[in-house]
Amino acid sequence: MSQTAIPEFFVYGEPARALDVGFLHVETVQARASVHRGQVLAHKHPQMAQITFWTGGSGTYRIEDKTWSFSAPTVSFMPSGVVHGFDIEPGTDAIVVSVADAALASIAEQSALPLDQPVFVTGRGEGALWERLGDTVRMIQAEYADRLPGVERILPPLIAVALSGIARLDAQSQAVTVPAAVALGGRLRRLIDRHFRDDWPVERYVEELGTTRHLLDKAARQVLGAGVRQAIGERRLVEAKRLLLFTIRTVEDIAYETGFNDPAYFSRFFRAAVGLSPAAWRKERVVSSE
């Protein structure tokens, strides 16, 4: 099957859609058994990464052009844009934690696991580490289900702990080779996360990554779902939304923090992207959350 024929999903079986700032989602594989019936065909998720922790059973797992047989406990981390799928035996289940790239950018600062490569690790005897990881993932599941006050602040650090737990399972030796364009797109995403405030021209990203404008733009569209310039703008927008939503900083201060030299231009940029001024968007979101 060609790359252009591989479907993109929000969660499996649901069409891809725009994700809100800070988006997180947790469910079990069996929760969608009526959709996949034990066979999840090759697919990818734009702008969303996933941790899948297999709690019981066995099956086969596919990442790009590689296939593994597995039995629980097994865990994977799948960055956005990476093709994956699996077939499972009856009764096999996993907890799936989905995280928008926008939320993952801040989580990455606390994670010991590099987040631009897929990872697949199956149980190899480190019982205490697997038990600790399982406890963390189940805590994420419980916090997501219970929705107690403060959950939006508790879940991101728990996810960072889970990712670091994967790293402790010697995940680096299980890193999966991905196509060159996917790898380049992941490196670009990491570079944008570090420098979106610096107002770099596209040519600076091309130079830093040692590639061509054409190849970088192609990789960006494949992995990030947008060209390089648009991807930088979207990263700025995500950061602006996060600061508007979770801080009391002024719109002018947020403009400078996200790399805009002119607060008026920032307001026009924001309105063009979301249909509201930054102040109006903040007010609407605060009211809707009360």
Side-chain angles (χ1 to χ4, degrees):
M1 181 180 293
S2 66
Q3 185 72 20
T4 56
I6 295 172
E8 296 183 346
F9 291 128
F10 160 54
V11 289
Y12 191 75
E14 297 186 24
R17 68 191 198 203
L19 302 180
D20 202 358
V21 60
F23 170 84
L24 300 169
H25 181 267
V26 183
E27 69 176 10
T28 64
V29 165
Q30 285 300 319
R32 292 186 179 269
S34 62
V35 177
H36 57 69
R37 301 184 185 280
Q39 184 179 36
V40 171
L41 301 177
H43 67 286
K44 56 184 177 177
H45 304 284
Q47 301 181 7
M48 185 175 79
Q50 288 184 326
I51 299 169
T52 303
F53 183 82
W54 295 93
T55 55
S58 60
T60 57
Y61 203 96
R62 300 178 297 278
I63 303 175
E64 295 293 343
D65 61 349
K66 289 192 174 182
T67 302
W68 293 267
S69 296
F70 75 90
S71 58
T74 290
V75 66
S76 66
F77 171 73
M78 205 62 49
S80 61
V82 176
V83 178
H84 61 286
F86 53 81
D87 298 327
I88 53 176
E89 298 297 325
T92 300
D93 205 0
I95 300 169
V96 183
V97 181
S98 302
V99 188
D101 285 345
L104 199 65
S106 59
I107 292 172
E109 298 173 2
Q110 308 300 323
S111 168
L113 183 73
L115 303 183
D116 57 350
Q117 287 273 340
V119 173
F120 186 83
V121 187
T122 192
R124 296 193 304 276
E126 305 91 337
L129 293 180
W130 280 106
E131 184 176 350
R132 187 176 301 177
L133 177 60
D135 289 344
T136 303
V137 173
R138 291 183 183 93
M139 190 179 299
I140 293 169
Q141 183 185 39
E143 285 287 343
Y144 181 84
D146 294 343
R147 294 288 177 176
L148 297 175
V151 64
E152 70 281 352
R153 297 185 182 276
I154 292 172
L155 281 175
L158 280 177
I159 291 170
V161 171
L163 291 166
S164 298
I166 297 172
R168 285 176 170 174
L169 288 165
D170 197 23
Q172 281 295 85
S173 66
Q174 299 294 313
V176 181
T177 302
V178 296
V182 175
L184 180 58
R187 291 166 57 208
L188 172 63
R189 175 168 48 213
R190 187 167 54 184
L191 201 59
I192 289 174
D193 283 341
R194 290 203 300 264
H195 295 288
F196 69 90
R197 298 178 182 87
D198 298 334
D199 200 26
W200 280 8
V202 173
E203 288 72 19
R204 178 71 182 275
Y205 287 92
V206 171
E207 179 183 348
E208 290 288 329
L209 293 169
T211 185
T212 67
R213 176 80 178 251
H214 171 73
L215 289 176
L216 190 60
D217 206 55
K218 182 179 179 181
R221 293 183 187 282
Q222 181 174 332
V223 176
L224 308 182
V228 180
R229 192 178 300 278
Q230 184 182 349
I232 297 166
E234 289 179 354
R235 181 64 181 87
R236 285 177 158 188
L237 181 65
V238 162
E239 192 68 17
K241 285 181 174 180
R242 180 181 294 121
L243 293 170
L244 287 165
L245 195 58
F246 299 119
T247 77
I248 58 172
R249 295 169 69 172
T250 66
V251 170
E252 182 178 14
D253 190 27
I254 290 171
Y256 292 129
E257 174 66 19
T258 51
F260 291 88
N261 296 322
D262 181 357
Y265 177 72
F266 165 69
S267 292
R268 292 195 297 272
F269 165 84
F270 194 96
R271 183 186 290 275
V274 305
L276 293 170
S277 70
W281 184 86
R282 169 186 264 169
K283 183 178 180 180
E284 180 183 82
R285 297 305 295 269
V286 169
V287 170
S288 65
S289 65
E290 292 178 348

